[in-house]
C-alpha cells in the first residue's frame, strides 16, 4: 500500500469543487492527513452517464490547488456501472449481471421503483456489467485512464466493487464476477 494512507485521519466528502473551500479546510485540518473524496467531479452529474469519466471544467483547478496545500484526492467511480443511455452500453449489454434466483438484470437502483422500473426520464440509473468480461474491463480502463493521467488522483473509490458476488450469468470467459473484479484491480494497479 501507499505509505500516505496510514497518515490519513480525516476523510471529507466534497460535492462542490469551489477551490475557496480548500483554505477553510486547511485552516481547520492538517491537509497532509486529510483525504478529499470528490463525489461529483465529472462533466456528467453524479451517477449519470457512466462510464464517461470526462472531468468537469473545475476538477483540474480544484485538484491542483488541493495538492498544492498537501491534501490527498480520491475520485468516485462506478466499478460496474454503465448507464443504459450511454452509447457504450450496447457494446457490453450482453454482460449485464443477473440475479442468480430470478434471472432479472441487475442495475442501480435495485428495484426501488414500483415494478423495478424508474420513472421515465430518470437518469440516475445504470446497469451492473460483469468485470469477468474482458470487453468490459477494457472499456472501463479506456474510459478512466485519461482522467487518471490528467487529474493525478491519489486514490479511486471503486463504488460497488464488492457488492455483487453471485452473477446469474455464470462464468464469463472462465471467471466469475469476483475474479473479474480482482483482474480489474490488477489492471488498474498496472
Amino acid at each position: 500500500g501507499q505509505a500516505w494512507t496510514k497518515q490519513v485521519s480525516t476523510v471529507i466528502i466534497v460535492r462542490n469543487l469551489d477551490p475557496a473551500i480548500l483554505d477553510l479546510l486547511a485552516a481547520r485540518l492538517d491537509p497532509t492527513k486529510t483525504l478529499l473524496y470528490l463525489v461529483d467531479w465529472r462533466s456528467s452529474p453524479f451517477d449519470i452517464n457512466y462510464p464517461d469519466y470526462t472531468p468537469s471544467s473545475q476538477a483540474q483547478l480544484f485538484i491542483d490547488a488541493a495538492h498544492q496545500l498537501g491534501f490527498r484526492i480520491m475520485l468516485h467511480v462506478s466499478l460496474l456501472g454503465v448507464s443504459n443511455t450511454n452509447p457504450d452500453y450496447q457494446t457490453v449489454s450482453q454482460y449485464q449481471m443477473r440475479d442468480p434466483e430470478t434471472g432479472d438484470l441487475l442495475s442501480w437502483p435495485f428495484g426501488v421503483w414500483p415494478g423495478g422500473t424508474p420513472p421515465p426520464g430518470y437518469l440516475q440509473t445504470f446497469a451492473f456489467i460483469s468485470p469477468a468480461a474482458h470487453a468490459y474491463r477494457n472499456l472501463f480502463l479506456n474510459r478512466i485512464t485519461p482522467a487518471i493521467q490528467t487529474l493525478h488522483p491519489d486514490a479511486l473509490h471503486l463504488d460497488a466493487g464488492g457488492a455483487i458476488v453471485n452473477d446469474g450469468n455464470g462464468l464469463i470467459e472462465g471467471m466469475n464476477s469476483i475474479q473479474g473484479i480482482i483482474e480489474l484491480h490488477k489492471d488498474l494497479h498496472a
Side-chain angles (χ1 to χ4, degrees):
Q2 301 286 336
W4 66 265
T5 61
K6 293 177 179 25
Q7 303 303 316
V8 172
S9 61
T10 307
V11 177
I12 303 289
I13 298 171
V14 177
R15 293 186 180 271
N16 178 346
L17 299 184
D18 180 357
I21 68 167
L22 295 170
D23 288 332
L24 296 173
L25 290 172
R28 291 170 175 77
L29 300 165
D30 180 348
T32 64
K33 295 180 179 180
T34 305
L35 176 66
L36 302 180
Y37 172 29
L38 306 189
V39 176
D40 199 4
W41 60 273
R42 301 176 307 125
S43 59
S44 295
F46 177 69
D47 271 359
I48 295 176
N49 200 31
Y50 291 128
D52 183 350
Y53 292 106
T54 305
S56 70
S57 58
Q58 304 94 341
Q60 185 73 64
L61 176 66
F62 183 89
I63 292 170
D64 288 348
H67 276 152
Q68 286 177 356
L69 290 170
F71 288 105
R72 298 294 182 161
I73 298 294
M74 179 168 63
L75 303 178
H76 177 93
V77 302
S78 178
L79 189 65
L80 308 175
V82 176
S83 298
N84 305 61
T85 55
N86 184 291
D88 287 327
Y89 177 72
Q90 295 308 314
T91 67
V92 293
S93 63
Q94 68 268 32
Y95 305 115
Q96 186 168 353
M97 299 174 89
R98 294 183 174 275
D99 182 285
E101 301 291 325
T102 66
D104 293 343
L105 293 171
L106 295 178
S107 60
W108 178 261
F110 300 109
V112 172
W113 314 104
T117 305
Y122 185 81
L123 296 177
Q124 223 168 1
T125 183
F126 47 88
F128 282 134
I129 307 297
S130 176
H134 188 255
Y136 177 68
R137 292 193 311 274
N138 280 346
L139 172 64
F140 180 82
L141 290 169
N142 286 337
R143 297 297 180 261
I144 194 63
T145 297
I148 292 170
Q149 291 173 339
T150 299
L151 300 176
H152 305 287
D154 301 287
L156 299 177
H157 172 77
L158 304 173
D159 196 28
I164 309 300
V165 176
N166 192 5
D167 179 8
N169 289 317
L171 298 180
I172 298 174
E173 300 170 18
M175 287 191 288
N176 63 36
S177 58
I178 295 301
Q179 290 167 320
I181 287 172
I182 291 168
E183 285 301 307
L184 190 48
H185 277 82
K186 289 177 183 176
D187 293 342
L188 279 167
H189 186 70

